[in-house]
Amino acid sequence: GNSVTQMEGPVTLSEEAFLTINCTYTATGYPSLFWYVQYPGEGLQLLLKATKADDKGSNKGFEATYRKETTSFHLEKGSVQVSDSAVYFCALSDSGGGADGLTFGKGTHLIIQP
Amino acid sequence: DARVTQTPRHKVTEMGQEVTMRCQPILGHNTVFWYRQTMMQGLELLAYFRNRAPLDDSGMPKDRFSAEMPDATLATLKIQPSEPRDSAVYFCASGNWEHYGYTFGSGTRLTVV
């Protein structure tokens, strides 16, 4: 079956530091890949996506590249802010845009200190 | 911005009681999902509907959980009888299957004591 593995948290960084959150996946076929962000007390929000190999998704300074050869989709940001503190979820869908639901990783709690 | 609305936001109930959670999806969205979030299991897909028809509920304990979509503006998730292990945050999400990404509600935090 499908699965997503994320690095364990919490990840604590200082403001303006470089961020990497690792994500690897197992899936049949050619899944679409997503990063979602969850702020305290809220639902998940789509951060970025990539639908085929070598695609780069980007939004709000965050980037992730779909690497088929390493089955990875690592999230990066060059300079984090306190407002980036949240839980980040990597997810995949093996049905295009997620028509049959998403498989999520366990989430990585990111804490940015001023 | 359009929102997915879930009610109630918080629910504390005693074991054995019936619990009903409601979701108002975004108008025009043809797909509605129910997810459950716990610390141990993370996010689990419970059930989903497309054009109000149930497509998959294999993630739900069949003996106590039921999901319905009586009309396009309302999806419900019921637990009867509730058990302490059902304590979790339940999320509803809606979207169109042709497009990528779904909009999540703020969740219902259920505590069964």
Side-chain angles (χ1 to χ4, degrees):
Chain A
N2 298 336
S3 67
V4 176
T5 303
Q6 292 181 237
M7 57 193 297
E8 295 292 327
V11 173
T12 303
L13 296 172
S14 297
E15 205 167 19
E16 300 184 1
F18 183 86
L19 167 71
T20 300
I21 300 178
N22 290 338
C23 169
T24 57
Y25 66 89
T26 302
T28 55
Y30 303 96
S32 297
L33 301 173
F34 306 82
W35 277 101
Y36 279 80
V37 59
Q38 184 180 28
Y39 298 101
E42 297 184 13
L44 281 71
Q45 301 174 27
L46 178 64
L47 181 59
L48 54 83
K49 65 181 186 292
T51 59
K52 59 183 187 297
D54 300 325
D55 265 3
K56 178 185 282 189
S58 61
N59 186 25
K60 298 180 181 179
F62 290 90
E63 293 183 340
T65 301
Y66 187 163
R67 301 286 188 200
K68 184 170 178 291
E69 63 277 11
T70 55
T71 62
S72 66
F73 192 54
H74 305 321
L75 183 68
E76 296 182 336
K77 186 175 185 183
S79 176
V80 293
Q81 305 300 313
V82 172
S83 57
D84 294 326
S85 298
V87 180
Y88 291 80
F89 293 89
C90 186
L92 72 80
S93 167
D94 59 8
S95 54
D100 298 322
L102 298 169
T103 299
F104 286 91
K106 291 284 182 73
T108 301
H109 187 193
L110 175 66
I111 300 170
I112 307 300
Q113 296 177 335
Chain B
D1 287 343
R3 289 187 171 197
V4 174
T5 303
Q6 289 186 249
T7 56
R9 287 297 307 274
H10 303 274
K11 176 71 175 180
V12 180
T13 191
E14 292 184 347
M15 183 173 61
Q17 295 298 305
E18 177 179 301
V19 175
T20 299
M21 290 168 272
R22 293 177 174 81
C23 168
Q24 181 179 353
I26 292 172
L27 193 64
H29 283 182
N30 61 16
T31 305
V32 176
F33 296 92
W34 284 104
Y35 284 89
R36 175 170 64 183
Q37 184 180 37
T38 61
M39 289 293 293
M40 292 299 295
Q41 300 297 326
L43 279 155
E44 303 171 278
L45 178 64
L46 297 177
Y48 71 100
F49 298 79
R50 182 151 304 125
N51 297 320
R52 294 178 53 206
L55 287 190
D56 188 355
D57 62 1
S58 60
M60 293 198 312
K62 296 290 190 304
D63 56 338
R64 299 184 299 108
F65 284 59
S66 62
E68 296 180 347
M69 199 163 176
D71 62 60
T73 65
L74 178 64
T76 62
L77 181 66
K78 290 186 182 180
I79 308 174
Q80 168 65 1
S82 57
E83 297 180 2
R85 59 180 167 152
D86 301 329
S87 297
V89 181
Y90 291 81
F91 287 104
C92 174
S94 75
N96 286 316
W97 73 269
E98 303 89 347
H99 304 137
Y100 294 92
Y102 290 88
T103 301
F104 280 74
S106 297
T108 293
R109 181 175 294 276
L110 175 65
T111 303
V112 183
V113 298

